[in-house]
Amino acid sequence: MDSVVSSEAHGDALVIEDMLKFAIHDLGSLHIGALLIYRPDGEPGPTVEQRLPIPPPLRIRSATHLAPLRHALGQVDGAAVFDAEGVLRDLGVRLVPSEAAERSVDPIGGTRHTSARRYSHDDPRATVIAVSEDGPVSIFRNGDVLANSHPS
């Protein structure tokens, strides 16, 4: 975890740490597959396909928001995008990789992990957490695997 949260260039270490704990202890342990994207700046990110209305501003750092967030992620397919403060900004988005990402970023695991890795290539400052329904969690930045408990 230290290597994932140690760089200030990738945002608030406490938000990232809470996202990782949520991914491992809440989602992975309950077999809820999900993609969590932490974007540390306010700039528009890479192309995503919006499929749902703007969600309520649930905060990853607020204990009372975790149950509704967990419930939403268990019901909705697609990625959840969080801002620099750890507030949910988009839910159920489909990640659309660039042609460069599709050409240069090799698949890893299943579709969710490959999408996460390719998105991280297109949004190099983002931290992308892929949670498998089987429980393993993988963390990506800049197209690289920072941590991977998923068999390749």
Side-chain angles (χ1 to χ4, degrees):
M1 185 165 319
D2 291 339
S3 65
V4 176
V5 300
S6 64
S7 172
E8 288 182 22
H10 292 283
D12 187 329
L14 295 175
V15 171
I16 297 170
E17 185 175 342
D18 283 348
M19 288 183 76
L20 290 170
K21 288 177 183 176
F22 177 72
I24 294 165
H25 300 296
D26 285 82
L27 301 176
S29 67
L30 295 172
H31 304 287
I32 298 171
L35 273 175
L36 308 178
I37 299 171
Y38 172 68
R39 298 203 67 254
D41 55 39
E43 299 297 316
T47 302
V48 297
E49 180 184 308
Q50 303 282 354
R51 299 182 311 164
L52 297 173
I54 300 298
L58 299 173
R59 297 180 176 276
I60 198 74
R61 302 213 62 223
S62 176
T64 59
H65 291 197
L66 297 183
L69 181 58
R70 182 176 49 249
H71 178 74
L73 290 169
Q75 301 301 313
V76 173
D77 198 21
V81 181
F82 295 83
D83 68 13
E85 287 77 39
V87 177
L88 179 66
R89 294 300 177 193
D90 290 303
L91 181 65
V93 299
R94 187 176 79 77
L95 305 181
V96 181
S98 67
E99 288 182 23
E102 286 186 326
R103 278 192 317 271
S104 63
V105 179
D106 291 332
I108 183 171
T111 303
R112 181 177 289 125
H113 283 71
T114 297
S115 293
R117 187 174 191 190
R118 289 180 175 161
Y119 179 91
S120 76
H121 173 272
D122 291 336
D123 194 357
R125 290 198 58 220
T127 301
V128 183
I129 304 167
V131 184
S132 170
E133 290 177 8
D134 298 335
V137 175
S138 299
I139 305 158
F140 304 92
R141 260 194 212 135
N142 198 23
D144 295 324
V145 180
L146 299 182
N148 183 1
S149 62
H150 193 282
S152 300

